[in-house]
Amino acid sequence: MAESEKLQKTPLHALHVALGAKMVEFGGYDMPVQYPAGILAEHLHTRNAAGLFDVSHMGQVTLHGPDAVTALETLVPGDLAILKEGAIRYSMFTDEAGGILDDLMITQRGSNLFLVVNAGCKLADIAHMRAKIGSRTNVEYHEDRALLALQGPAAAAVMARLAPNAVGQKFMTFRTGDVAGIPCFFTRSGYTGEDGYEISVPAARAADLATALLAEAEVKPIGLGARDSLRLEAGLCLYGHDIDTTTSPIEADLAWSISRRRRTEGGFPGAARIQRELAQGPARRRVGILPDGRAPAREGTEIVDATGAKIGTVTSGGFGPSVNAPISMGYVASAFAAPGTPIGLVVRGKTLPARVAPMPFAPHRYFRG
């Protein structure tokens, strides 16, 4: 059996192949990394118009029951009690050592919570929730739904034509309604730094929805390659690379996602370490990095100080098409985390000059109303 035949397929797999996508393994799925236009063109098209991404490999989960909010707060540091119906919060599952098990989006839907988790972690996340809070809330995994992301400055105009209920929707909110005549629910969110939507649709109708969206003049299909360069320019973490069980939310510069109440009360795994790092500062921090030259510094590149001593490691890196320069992010000792700090990147045995840079590299353009 060919390796590709062992991989899972999303409901849009046949459409990707028909569109000429180059398919690769990602998170256990056979996924499109790019289409014939190429990663550079796909990246710039998303920044200038609208790109359609298949993110159906990610996990969609609903927590049912009146105790779902307080139960989930025992697993994440996010303030869920404050969420109003229709609002979304970014948070993460933490372990007892304060490391990150996964990051996720949580939507308050009134009678339940809707979660979107990463593809490679979803089965572990579901098992974790069932083991820890399964007696307090029913954990429902939606294997029968697909997820599409429409991202870019033209996304709102496209949705206004196909989904009237999306008009006026603000960033990090949830709505239900037909999209191209198909019953869906959608959030105004995404992971590119652009305005856009994530649309949950019954798997059986996913190809119909994708075809309808791609029929709009502004929309082109986008693969994993451009998705990665877009999120890197936006300064957003990729689980398994920029965050994992060895990194805390404070080291990862995600303290903004933890409210004052949760910082004070604790009550989530790893709270002692996270509260200590909030008060005293972490030993290392995630930072943006701009190489002085044109050579990119990719994941695993050693970061050194002026004496050549190692001070950190690059966790993501490549060429930023919108920035028109190589960009990276990684962890450095906190003493070197201030923007503008000169550092060295050891690329193929040679130390290249670089400097710590503020993120995002490309400005976020979310619609906040």
Side-chain angles (χ1 to χ4, degrees):
M1 180 181 294
E3 190 65 29
S4 61
E5 295 175 346
K6 301 176 184 176
L7 298 174
Q8 298 184 72
K9 298 176 181 178
T10 75
L12 297 182
H13 186 273
L15 180 62
H16 298 316
V17 173
L19 291 172
K22 178 182 178 182
M23 307 298 286
V24 300
E25 187 279 334
F26 183 82
Y29 284 78
D30 195 31
M31 297 292 291
V33 66
Q34 67 177 79
Y35 297 87
I39 293 174
L40 178 63
E42 292 172 22
H43 179 114
L44 295 175
H45 182 83
T46 304
R47 288 273 185 252
N48 294 320
L52 183 66
F53 303 74
D54 180 9
V55 288
S56 302
H57 56 311
M58 301 184 77
Q60 301 182 65
V61 181
T62 296
L63 302 187
H64 299 276
D67 199 27
V69 169
T70 52
L72 187 57
E73 278 200 350
T74 66
L75 303 183
V76 304
D79 189 344
L80 309 182
I82 200 173
L83 276 183
K84 297 179 180 178
E85 184 173 345
I88 307 170
R89 180 135 300 174
Y90 170 83
S91 193
M92 61 288 302
F93 293 115
T94 50
D95 63 19
E96 295 298 333
I100 301 173
L101 293 168
D102 194 10
D103 61 342
L104 71 158
M105 301 290 275
I106 304 165
T107 299
Q108 170 56 266
R109 297 200 298 188
S111 61
N112 58 63
L113 296 176
F114 175 68
L115 280 51
V116 176
V117 300
N118 283 301
C121 303
K122 62 185 178 185
L123 296 181
D125 291 342
I126 292 166
H128 179 61
M129 288 187 284
R130 286 176 173 161
K132 297 292 185 180
I133 60 174
S135 63
R136 302 174 61 183
T137 180
N138 178 36
V139 181
E140 181 186 10
Y141 173 34
H142 300 290
E143 294 184 87
D144 58 345
R145 298 193 72 86
L147 192 66
L148 280 64
L150 182 68
Q151 300 282 293
V158 172
M159 285 291 280
R161 292 196 291 270
L162 300 183
N165 196 36
V167 174
Q169 183 177 2
K170 295 180 181 179
F171 181 58
M172 294 296 273
T173 64
F174 165 93
R175 289 185 181 178
T176 60
D178 286 358
V179 183
I182 301 169
C184 299
F185 48 83
F186 43 85
T187 57
R188 196 152 189 172
S189 60
Y191 220 63
T192 61
E194 295 294 331
D195 182 26
Y197 303 80
E198 292 186 326
I199 308 167
S200 178
V201 57
R205 302 299 308 277
D208 295 337
L209 177 60
T211 300
L213 289 167
L214 290 170
E216 298 297 311
E218 303 97 325
V219 183
K220 293 187 182 300
I222 310 297
L224 292 171
R227 182 166 180 253
D228 193 54
S229 58
L230 288 159
R231 71 90 195 164
L232 176 58
E233 285 187 339
L236 301 172
C237 296
L238 179 62
Y239 191 81
H241 299 263
D242 310 298
I243 51 176
D244 56 26
T245 55
T246 69
T247 56
S248 77
I250 312 309
E251 291 176 326
D253 196 27
L254 300 173
W256 57 268
S257 68
I258 308 175
S259 72
R260 179 179 298 180
R261 177 178 70 86
R262 300 308 311 274
R263 295 180 185 204
T264 302
E265 294 179 0
F268 51 86
R273 174 188 175 184
I274 291 169
Q275 289 171 317
R276 182 178 68 252
E277 290 183 352
L278 282 166
Q280 302 173 4
R284 59 175 185 161
R285 291 183 183 274
R286 181 174 65 93
V287 298
I289 299 165
L290 282 175
D292 285 354
R294 301 294 291 179
R298 303 192 185 279
E299 181 178 1
T301 298
E302 189 173 284
I303 305 171
V304 299
D305 66 10
T307 71
K310 182 178 179 179
I311 57 170
T313 305
V314 170
T315 52
S316 288
F319 183 76
S322 306
V323 181
N324 192 28
I327 55 176
S328 298
M329 69 169 75
Y331 286 83
V332 297
S334 293
F336 298 88
T341 301
I343 57 176
L345 301 169
V346 182
V347 179
R348 292 189 290 276
K350 185 177 180 180
T351 300
L352 304 177
R355 53 196 157 85
V356 174
M359 291 191 285
F361 297 103
H364 292 168
R365 300 195 289 186
Y366 307 131
F367 178 72
R368 300 184 187 277

